[in-house]
Amino acid sequence: MAVSPHILPPAQSVTRVMALVLLGLVPATLVYAWLFGPAILINVAWAALACVGLEAIMLRLRGYPVRPYLGDLSAVLTGWLLALSMPALSPWWLTLTGCMLAIVVAKHLYGGLGQNVFNPAMVGYAGLLISFPALMTQWPAPLALAHAQLGAADSAQYIFAGHLPAGLKLDAITSATPLDTLRTQLKQDRTLSEILRQPLFGHLGGKGFELIAAAYLLGGALLLARKVITWHVPLAYLAAVGLTAGVFHLYDVDHYAGPWFHLAAPSTMLAAFFIATDPVTGATTPRGKLIFAAGAGFLTVLIRILGGYPDGVAFSILLMNICVPLIDAHTQPKVFGHGGDDA
Amino acid sequence: MRQLFRFHGGVHPPEHKAVSSAAPIVQARLPQRLIVPLRQHIGTSARACVAVGDKVLKGQTIGRAEGYVSAAVHAPTSGTVVAIDMRPVAHPSGLSDLCIVIEADGDDRWIERTLLDLARMDASHVRNRLRDLGLAGLGGAVFPSFIKLNPGATAKVPTLVINGAECEPWITCDDRLMRERAQDILTGARIMATLLHATDILVGVEDNKPEALAALQAAARSLDFPADIVAVPTLYPGGGAKQLIQVLTGKEAPSGGRSTDIGVQCFNVGTAYALARAVQHGEPLMSRIVTVTGAVARPQNYEVLLGTPMAELLEQAGRTSEANGVIMGGPMMGFDIADTAAPVVKATNCLLVKSPKLFPPLPRTMPCIRCGACARACPARLQPQELYWFARAKNFGKTQEYHLFDCIECGCCNYVCPSHLPLVDYYRYAKSEIWAREQEKNAADLARRRHESRVSRLEREKAERAERLAAKAPVKKAQATVPPDSAQAAARKALAAETLARVQAKQAAAAPEPLDPPASS
């Protein structure tokens, strides 16, 4: 016998939520391909395919109906996010390893959709960064700066077979990211203004990179407009990144990059709108979201500036994931009739 | 313009009100047999005061209110009592309940009615009469009205809210009542205000019912007392008493308390109307307006005698071939009727006939992704996703810690859930488990206290025996051939006294309540 409510709005499902998030990733992915070459498209497609395949295997092994669960698009999203976090020219097996860490370990070993404690894409990324640090910092250079360009076919050949076109060296098409460059050169006692004058750097952040960041912002605005996410996480995350970076910058203007530099990094915008907003692994209460995102933003900058890795998004998110139950338990809104105000 | 407030969350389900709101209320046909349940209100069942074979008149009391929270039931027409037995009734469980079955004689002959002379009667007398006239809240909760009309010994209830919000989709019985009988509704409200010593009368109507608002405003102008007719924004569950009070006054009824704690009492428009009929015409509550809508040929509102089998009413509205079920109430909070032989009762505001087209099967459920859509929709500001986890894990202590019992089961969380989880069902399950456990615990407590009481009684009897023996001992000794050893006897006596004192002290410490029934000895 049916129980109330007897009706549901027609177009409302987990699939729709995931599809909207994927839609939000489209602008940044296109800008990425435009400025850095088509390799990212191949990598996104391969990662999504790998994640869906692994998801199917895991669902089968765990005795879940494969078709409806694959249709939720969550595996596609995980693959896409992971691919965007990795160097676009990563070899196929590196991406596959990341997908396995994300889907098999972080998601299904913890109980599948909705049960995972850690953000799957970030587990994949962090695992790869620790295990294959050299490969994970070999980013394609912006086309405007690269000495050579790889077309789609060449990119595919490199990703899947490891061959570059004759006469082309890897160095010609890859470089360190702006964040990485900044970190390395600061260690060599160069001043900030010296470093930022190099061609790799643009108006606010890295040349080209800052446009990808802007495209993430655009996609994030779409998610906000469609009410897939609330304002709490992006605002708190970006504010915390800006404030933390600002404090360091004021402390030593010659050594620490300004808040705009950190905000214009693509990883910052990706985290603010697409990673820290993951509902499964983030806090759920309004105040909890603010604390969760502010903590992640603070840690992101701290790891970038003081830590051993060029970027801190993945570790900061994973560290805050651990705190979620505690944050949620202590930020419960006042329930109706318990003497509180509307939260 | 009155300043309005808003409640947290809420949803906008498709309204479907126009389906049944256009046509005027029609009188439903007099059925051959009426089945009048003795429990049509919250509280204790009424007690039958007629016997099989008795002739009854329309409006005659056939079940008297029993206990405090109760209300009387009446014969909806004249005829003969042909049975008093268990019949299927409208209840989510589908269980049967004790009903009085009346064979109508077709004359519809009234019993003699006496009006309530409010000027000469004191308030408690009026309330008693309303109880005997069977008045209960017609908004759905069917709480006996006379209790809610008692402001208490010292308290005044300055604000009376009349609820015409009617926020559930499909239902239009209050809408039609307001359009057609606004005057009586306001008269009823006036009487309520007098009984409660209320100074403000606020009638809240959702702004999707402009005709009802206009009718009430017109009626209010012709009255000699002020009643504020307020259009409130259409937002489900704006017709929940707590939500309407919040919208109109900005105040929240305290958790576990009553709205009178914040100086507000709230009645449905149908209740106000019934009260006016009771006072001005001496009519008991034995009919109500019922919306029959959905997959029927003639969806509209009917004035229905309580006890009319639902099947007859549905027949009158015209069956359709695609009909595949009936909901009593609306699509958000109503429940499926297992057997349409069940009668229309005081709580029946709507019969919503389902069809596969109007109510397609709900999609497959997916795991919770903690998106929080439910929390944003919850008018009680609960965290439904947390309650869901705890209820699923049978962690009932945690559900209570997260205020499960502040859930009003409005279904908003359920409605917005992208994973289509039957959240409200989980909460009902958790609530009933907690109630069941509390009952078990109470039963166990009672058994334990009985046992303790028995043990202490046995000890007391033993001590008394010891005392009697001790008292007899010297006499026995004296009769014996052995010469009495007075020192030994005295020692024994002292020992017995000491034992007695010890036992008495122990008894006092145990402090058993006088629960020991003679039968258990």
Side-chain angles (χ1 to χ4, degrees):
Chain A
M1 178 169 287
V3 290
S4 68
H6 302 265
I7 46 170
L8 292 176
Q12 169 189 279
S13 62
V14 176
T15 307
R16 185 170 173 276
V17 172
M18 298 291 173
L20 281 169
V21 179
L22 290 173
L23 195 64
L25 287 173
V26 168
T29 310
L30 292 180
V31 171
Y32 198 151
W34 173 48
L35 293 171
F36 290 80
I40 181 63
L41 300 179
I42 297 167
N43 203 27
V44 163
W46 165 236
L49 190 72
C51 282
V52 169
L54 289 165
E55 173 106 336
I57 293 168
M58 289 311 290
L59 287 169
R60 170 78 42 98
L61 287 176
R62 294 178 60 224
Y64 278 77
V66 174
R67 196 179 284 263
Y69 277 82
L70 269 193
D72 68 24
L73 298 181
S74 62
V76 177
L77 180 60
T78 301
W80 196 324
L81 288 171
L82 181 62
L84 286 173
S85 314
M86 293 173 65
L89 283 171
S90 299
W92 65 273
W93 57 267
L94 187 67
T95 309
L96 180 62
T97 308
C99 293
M100 284 175 70
L101 283 171
I103 296 291
V104 178
V105 178
K107 188 174 184 183
H108 282 285
L109 292 190
Y110 277 86
L113 181 69
Q115 308 274 351
N116 47 303
V117 178
F118 298 104
N119 187 305
M122 289 302 101
V123 169
Y125 174 84
L128 294 181
L129 185 63
I130 294 167
S131 315
F132 307 97
L135 283 172
M136 288 296 284
T137 46
Q138 222 164 55
W139 287 76
L143 294 180
L145 300 177
H147 304 293
Q149 298 187 4
L150 277 192
D154 291 339
S155 302
Q157 199 177 20
Y158 180 70
I159 290 172
F160 291 103
H163 300 311
L164 282 175
L168 193 62
K169 287 239 165 67
L170 194 61
D171 289 351
I173 49 166
T174 62
S175 73
T177 63
L179 278 172
D180 203 4
T181 309
L182 181 70
R183 214 180 123 268
T184 318
Q185 303 200 353
L186 281 171
K187 276 196 182 146
Q188 295 159 358
D189 282 337
R190 306 177 72 171
T191 67
L192 191 64
S193 47
E194 258 181 290
I195 299 168
L196 293 182
R197 271 200 296 277
Q198 294 167 24
L200 183 60
F201 296 90
H203 301 285
L204 295 173
K207 189 169 283 174
F209 291 91
E210 55 197 12
L211 286 178
I212 298 179
Y216 281 133
L217 184 63
L218 181 73
L222 171 90
L223 298 192
L224 277 172
R226 301 307 300 268
K227 296 189 175 164
V228 177
I229 57 172
T230 61
W231 56 270
H232 304 80
V233 166
L235 190 79
Y237 184 81
L238 295 176
V241 165
L243 275 176
T244 314
V247 167
F248 275 96
H249 185 61
L250 287 179
Y251 173 71
D252 187 346
V253 183
D254 264 349
H255 196 72
Y256 297 110
W260 52 88
F261 182 83
H262 285 278
L263 289 172
S267 58
T268 308
M269 289 296 167
L270 181 68
F273 291 99
F274 297 93
I275 304 287
T277 50
D278 172 28
V280 174
T281 56
T284 52
T285 62
R287 274 191 302 145
K289 283 178 181 173
L290 293 177
I291 295 171
F292 172 82
F298 172 70
L299 288 173
T300 297
V301 176
L302 222 56
I303 295 170
R304 278 180 188 171
I305 291 179
L306 307 173
Y309 291 96
D311 201 359
V313 166
F315 296 112
S316 71
I317 297 285
L318 295 176
L319 284 170
M320 290 311 290
N321 284 161
I322 303 174
C323 310
V324 162
L326 194 67
I327 295 173
D328 272 347
H330 287 276
T331 54
Q332 288 297 311
K334 283 268 187 219
V335 170
F336 185 100
H338 286 265
D341 287 323
D342 207 329
Chain B
M1 258 321 255
R2 168 172 285 275
Q3 189 207 342
L4 293 181
F5 303 82
R6 56 160 301 149
F7 59 89
H8 184 263
V11 294
H12 280 291
E15 292 175 12
H16 300 290
K17 300 246 187 201
V19 176
S20 58
S21 65
I25 299 168
V26 298
Q27 186 70 45
R29 280 199 298 266
L30 178 68
Q32 273 189 332
R33 278 188 174 204
L34 293 115
I35 304 155
V36 186
L38 285 161
R39 189 205 314 271
Q40 298 189 40
H41 47 264
I42 294 276
T44 321
S45 198
R47 181 192 286 236
C49 56
V50 288
V52 175
D54 283 3
K55 297 267 186 225
V56 292
L57 292 170
K58 184 184 178 86
Q60 181 178 336
T61 305
I62 55 176
R64 284 190 206 291
E66 179 88 352
Y68 183 60
V69 185
S70 188
V73 295
H74 303 81
T77 187
S78 58
T80 313
V81 176
V82 291
I84 302 176
D85 55 11
M86 303 296 277
R87 302 275 169 138
V89 291
H91 192 270
S93 66
L95 292 177
S96 299
D97 204 357
L98 194 59
C99 299
I100 297 179
V101 184
I102 296 170
E103 183 96 44
D105 60 13
D107 297 340
D108 211 26
R109 200 147 33 87
W110 271 100
I111 197 167
E112 196 184 327
R113 281 160 282 175
T114 46
L115 316 189
L116 275 65
D117 186 354
L118 292 177
R120 296 231 208 111
M121 292 163 75
D122 67 16
S124 85
H125 189 186
V126 174
R127 284 194 290 271
N128 284 341
R129 284 296 307 277
L130 294 177
R131 179 173 183 245
D132 295 338
L133 288 169
L135 228 67
L138 297 183
V142 280
F143 191 79
S145 302
F146 78 97
I147 299 173
K148 283 174 70 182
L149 286 167
N150 188 347
T154 54
K156 281 189 178 176
V157 184
T159 309
L160 171 67
V161 168
I162 301 297
N163 187 345
E166 198 166 56
C167 60
E168 269 261 16
W170 294 96
I171 308 177
T172 59
C173 58
D174 290 349
D175 186 7
R176 282 313 315 185
L177 188 76
M178 289 186 283
R179 291 194 208 185
E180 299 179 28
R181 304 175 195 180
Q183 194 89 34
D184 284 334
I185 292 171
L186 294 181
T187 306
R190 166 68 181 279
I191 299 164
M192 288 171 167
T194 310
L195 289 169
L196 290 167
H197 311 296
T199 47
D200 279 337
I201 301 176
L202 304 176
V203 186
V205 182
E206 281 193 347
D207 55 15
N208 60 354
K209 290 181 270 293
E211 298 89 346
L213 279 161
L216 284 166
Q217 269 149 3
R221 275 194 290 276
S222 67
L223 293 176
D224 57 346
F225 60 91
D228 205 347
I229 315 297
V230 189
V232 299
T234 301
L235 178 64
Y236 179 86
K242 288 178 175 182
Q243 281 65 43
L244 185 63
I245 290 170
Q246 191 179 11
V247 167
L248 290 173
T249 68
K251 296 179 189 167
E252 285 182 16
S255 169
R258 298 174 206 284
S259 67
T260 47
D261 297 343
I262 51 167
V264 186
Q265 188 59 287
C266 181
F267 289 95
N268 175 260
V269 284
T271 317
Y273 172 77
L275 182 88
R277 297 296 298 181
V279 170
Q280 296 189 322
H281 303 274
E283 280 179 19
L285 178 57
M286 33 158 239
S287 72
R288 68 158 296 149
I289 315 296
V290 181
T291 306
V292 185
T293 186
V296 290
R298 290 172 297 279
Q300 62 181 320
N301 285 283
Y302 295 85
E303 178 146 26
V304 188
L305 294 179
L306 304 179
T308 303
M310 290 176 179
E312 295 213 16
L313 190 57
L314 294 169
E315 206 61 57
Q316 211 172 325
R319 286 188 185 275
T320 55
S321 54
E322 71 262 31
N324 69 342
V326 181
I327 296 170
M328 180 170 128
M332 293 299 287
M333 290 187 74
F335 55 89
D336 277 347
I337 294 297
D339 185 349
T340 52
V344 167
V345 289
K346 292 173 185 176
T348 312
N349 50 2
C350 178
L351 294 182
L352 176 50
V353 180
K354 298 197 286 187
S355 71
K357 193 161 150 271
L358 294 174
F359 294 87
L362 300 183
R364 158 193 282 278
T365 62
M366 292 290 287
C368 169
I369 55 167
R370 294 166 53 84
C371 65
C374 47
R376 290 194 289 281
C378 179
R381 291 198 306 272
L382 293 162
Q383 296 288 306
Q385 79 280 8
E386 305 281 6
L387 290 173
Y388 164 71
W389 283 119
F390 295 137
R392 232 182 97 125
K394 302 192 176 147
N395 192 345
F396 300 120
K398 273 284 186 189
T399 62
Q400 280 176 283
E401 224 176 275
Y402 279 69
H403 307 294
L404 173 68
F405 284 95
D406 286 299
C407 169
I408 57 170
E409 300 181 17
C410 63
C412 286
C413 52
N414 218 147
Y415 184 74
V416 298
C417 178
S419 295
H420 316 124
L421 293 165
L423 296 170
V424 178
D425 212 27
Y426 275 98
Y427 308 148
R428 288 198 195 103
Y429 158 73
K431 284 179 184 176
S432 57
E433 282 293 308
I434 291 167
W435 284 324
R437 279 167 199 210
E438 244 157 48
Q439 264 172 13
E440 259 170 47
K441 189 177 160 290
N442 287 346
D445 277 351
L446 190 68
R448 182 180 49 76
R449 272 151 58 198
R450 281 211 173 115
H451 174 73
E452 281 171 5
S453 172
R454 178 165 186 272
V455 167
S456 76
R457 178 180 48 89
L458 291 179
E459 273 186 21
R460 187 183 68 231
E461 284 172 3
K462 202 168 147 194
E464 279 166 7
R465 261 201 310 279
E467 193 180 12
R468 278 200 302 275
L469 278 174
K472 278 182 191 162
V475 185
K476 269 192 181 165
K477 291 245 164 70
Q479 288 167 346
T481 48
V482 182
D485 185 347
S486 58
Q488 203 184 345
R492 262 194 207 163
K493 203 169 179 179
L495 187 69
E498 197 187 314
T499 311
L500 182 66
R502 202 169 55 237
V503 168
Q504 274 168 348
K506 207 171 168 185
Q507 261 176 267
E513 285 157 61
L515 266 170
D516 193 19
S520 75
S521 54

